[in-house]
Amino acid sequence: MELIRVNTSMNLNKFLILNRRLHLLKSKAYINGDWVNAQSNKTFSVLDPSTDKPIGTVPDMDATDAKRAVDAAAEAFKTWRNTTAKERSYVLRRWFGICKENRDNVAAILTAEAGKPLSESLGEFDYGNAFLEFFADTARHINGEIVSSPWPNKQILITRQPLGVVSVITPWNFPYAMITRKVGALMAAGCTCVIKPSEDTPLTALVAAQLAEQAGVPKGVINVITSSRENAAAVGKVMCQDPNVGCVSFTGSTFVGKILYGLAASGVKRVALELGGNAPFIVFPSADLEYTVDQALLAKFRNAGQACVGANRFLIHKDVFDEFVTIFKNKISAKVEIGGKYAKQFGTNFYEATLLVGVKPDMKIYSQEIFGPVAVCSKFNTEDEALQIANNTRSGLASYVFTKDLGQAFRMSRELEFGMVAINDGILSAPEPPFGGIKESGIGREGSRHGVEEYTDIKYTLFSGLAKGM
């Protein structure tokens, strides 16, 4: 299996090619169409996670800078909201096209700051860019309704209108896709935004803004502010509580999501929260085990296990448990003992793919989101027991079921307390379906037309006096 951050083990030619593709790197933030420093002129370093060495610096912005960005977005909203759906579609389509032309360059920057293998970075780019293409089409299909009136000579009209400035706060694990999935949707709806990327991966966000600028996105529609951990709380407070902000869209941990939710609540602001997961991966005796294990590898080890929808708990029926574990172990590695230690030949920041069995319910790893390349396999006896174990969590994002029993597949889909259920597949996210969870895994949906509607307000207009002579 390919290890994380293999950029350190590339041959010299590949390494030189990768570095030549970093020409899009920016060292300034982006506010109101200008590339700017922090008003304090402070900066912080962005580190290569495979070596902990700096690969660049960006502005260390504070609350004053955040306010400036929100004000710019609010001013731009006055005009952007009145553009036609067709115009917004064209702008998003141009952004998609320019990003596509720079696929290798964006992926190189992703690898440099996020530490992904280049193949993973290219995969994230393709996934993320697909959202821009999808929302370019969706922009022209944000429709209202005409509702039958209970009164004579009156007409009920329902329209969707953009809700305003959106504060976009994104994580480090998918620094490109989380921006396109949010910003593509809100722009399609007619909103503007301020993006605050993770302090670990701000460079990709700045590249996305640079390509948006080249695509003709008007100034102030997209703003990107960067800040260190020291300023994150102050910046976040402005982004959640400024009167000009209409919505807070956040992807990250449940712990931080609750803090932001509390801040936004003081102004009764809309929130779109995509938070932590604790995904069960349930295997019944009827499943094709070779195929199921291939899907397990995707669901667990994609992005080194650092994905909110990553399989976290492997629940294997007792009749196929031993066979599943054996196949799983052999597909991870040919060694008898699997993982459990740092891959020191690559440095101190690499951890081997690890498979654990015999984990008991009172162990932390049994119930907490792992967010790493560690797979935990447990036995179950009956369908009801599998459901009880799977649903015994405050998380409710993704779940996976492998069975050839059609009735069982429908029962599991109905009874699993998760926002998304994948039947016989280890990958479920795409632009077309709604992505999101229930319980403490978040509020709202991303992707699909529902993801665009998150950034709209419903307006009801009553037309009266429609009779002749009135």
Side-chain angles (χ1 to χ4, degrees):
M1 171 169 284
E2 196 171 24
L3 283 169
I4 325 168
R5 301 162 186 163
V6 294
N7 48 319
T8 55
S9 59
M10 289 179 180
N11 63 43
L12 181 60
N13 286 337
K14 285 185 177 180
F15 181 76
L16 292 173
I17 291 171
L18 178 64
N19 276 274
R20 284 199 296 271
R21 289 175 177 161
L22 300 182
H23 67 278
L24 290 176
L25 283 178
K26 284 287 188 180
S27 59
K28 294 185 178 182
Y30 187 66
I31 298 177
N32 201 31
D34 295 321
W35 294 97
V36 298
N37 295 315
Q39 289 193 353
S40 66
N41 285 320
K42 292 182 179 178
T43 63
F44 68 97
S45 296
V46 181
L47 305 181
D48 177 341
S50 67
T51 62
D52 289 330
K53 293 180 179 179
I55 55 176
T57 60
V58 292
D60 189 1
M61 294 181 145
D62 57 22
T64 302
D65 299 293
K67 172 63 175 171
R68 182 160 53 121
V70 169
D71 289 346
E75 186 63 27
F77 178 65
K78 294 176 183 178
T79 53
W80 181 251
R81 68 176 300 173
N82 293 321
T83 56
T84 66
K86 185 176 181 179
E87 289 176 281
R88 296 195 295 273
S89 175
Y90 282 166
V91 171
L92 285 167
R93 178 70 64 176
R94 286 197 299 269
W95 191 15
F96 162 77
I98 287 176
C99 287
K100 188 175 181 180
E101 291 171 6
N102 285 275
R103 178 178 185 259
D104 291 342
N105 300 324
V106 176
I109 291 170
L110 268 169
T111 288
E113 70 170 351
K116 304 183 184 205
L118 194 54
S119 59
E120 288 260 10
S121 296
L122 290 167
E124 180 186 342
F125 174 86
D126 292 339
Y127 167 68
N129 218 37
F131 284 98
L132 294 182
E133 182 180 36
F134 177 81
F135 289 128
D137 294 334
T138 307
R140 302 181 70 169
H141 300 282
I142 304 172
N143 301 317
E145 304 171 59
I146 298 293
V147 177
S148 297
S149 171
W151 311 290
N153 303 316
K154 297 182 182 181
Q155 183 73 67
I156 295 173
L157 174 67
I158 299 173
T159 54
R160 287 190 173 272
Q161 296 186 321
L163 55 76
V165 176
V166 181
S167 290
V168 174
I169 305 175
T170 56
W172 51 264
N173 56 331
F174 289 98
Y176 180 73
M178 293 304 95
I179 287 175
T180 56
R181 192 163 79 180
K182 295 174 186 293
V183 178
L186 68 88
M187 284 180 59
C191 296
T192 60
C193 68
V194 177
I195 304 167
K196 194 281 180 192
S198 166
E199 60 273 11
D200 295 318
T201 54
L203 301 175
T204 302
L206 296 173
V207 169
Q210 182 181 175
L211 297 176
E213 181 182 46
Q214 293 177 22
V217 174
K219 69 176 186 178
V221 172
I222 294 176
N223 304 272
V224 181
I225 58 174
T226 55
S227 75
S228 66
R229 281 182 175 84
E230 287 70 23
N231 282 324
V235 168
K237 186 174 182 180
V238 172
M239 295 181 72
C240 290
Q241 296 188 328
D242 189 281
N244 282 323
V245 171
C247 176
V248 179
S249 180
F250 170 75
T251 295
S253 72
T254 300
F255 175 78
V256 174
K258 288 180 178 180
I259 294 173
L260 298 177
Y261 194 8
L263 291 172
S266 65
V268 197
K269 298 185 187 300
R270 185 83 59 84
V271 292
L273 304 176
E274 198 269 281
L275 308 178
N278 191 5
F281 187 104
I282 304 169
V283 181
F284 288 98
S286 64
D288 179 331
L289 292 188
E290 287 285 346
Y291 170 80
T292 299
V293 169
D294 286 339
Q295 296 302 305
L297 291 171
L298 291 173
K300 175 71 258 183
F301 295 113
R302 180 174 69 102
N303 209 53
Q306 296 166 328
C308 56
V309 294
N312 205 59
R313 299 170 292 156
F314 288 86
L315 308 179
I316 317 300
H317 191 277
K318 63 181 179 63
D319 291 349
V320 293
F321 181 87
D322 290 342
E323 185 179 358
F324 177 90
V325 169
T326 298
I327 298 172
F328 201 9
K329 181 174 68 174
N330 288 337
K331 294 217 176 192
I332 293 172
S333 170
K335 297 179 182 179
V336 177
E337 295 182 5
I338 306 299
K341 59 185 182 297
Y342 288 100
K344 293 182 179 178
Q345 68 270 34
F346 296 102
T348 58
N349 294 340
F350 297 82
Y351 198 80
E352 293 182 349
T354 299
L355 176 60
L356 300 178
V357 297
V359 174
K360 296 178 170 52
D362 59 348
M363 298 178 181
K364 286 185 177 180
I365 201 169
Y366 185 87
S367 59
Q368 293 185 357
E369 185 179 21
I370 297 169
F371 221 71
V374 179
V376 176
C377 294
S378 303
K379 292 181 184 179
F380 70 86
N381 296 313
T382 66
E383 182 178 307
D384 287 343
E385 183 186 8
L387 282 167
Q388 189 277 325
I389 296 171
N391 290 336
N392 187 26
T393 173
R394 287 303 306 152
S395 299
L397 190 57
S399 56
Y400 305 87
V401 177
F402 286 78
T403 178
K404 291 183 178 179
D405 184 329
L406 184 60
Q408 186 174 62
F410 274 96
R411 289 194 302 273
M412 296 299 288
S413 173
R414 182 181 66 244
E415 300 297 332
L416 280 167
E417 297 169 0
F418 294 82
M420 299 178 287
V421 181
I423 305 294
N424 296 325
D425 209 307
I427 300 291
L428 47 66
S429 183
E432 290 78 7
F435 185 102
I438 60 175
K439 298 190 279 190
E440 293 185 11
S441 283
I443 297 172
R445 293 296 181 267
E446 295 186 337
S448 79
R449 66 174 179 83
H450 302 285
V452 175
E453 290 172 355
E454 289 289 333
Y455 302 109
T456 64
D457 287 321
I458 294 177
K459 177 174 282 187
Y460 153 47
T461 303
L462 174 66
F463 286 91
S464 189
L466 300 181
K468 285 184 178 180
M470 293 185 70

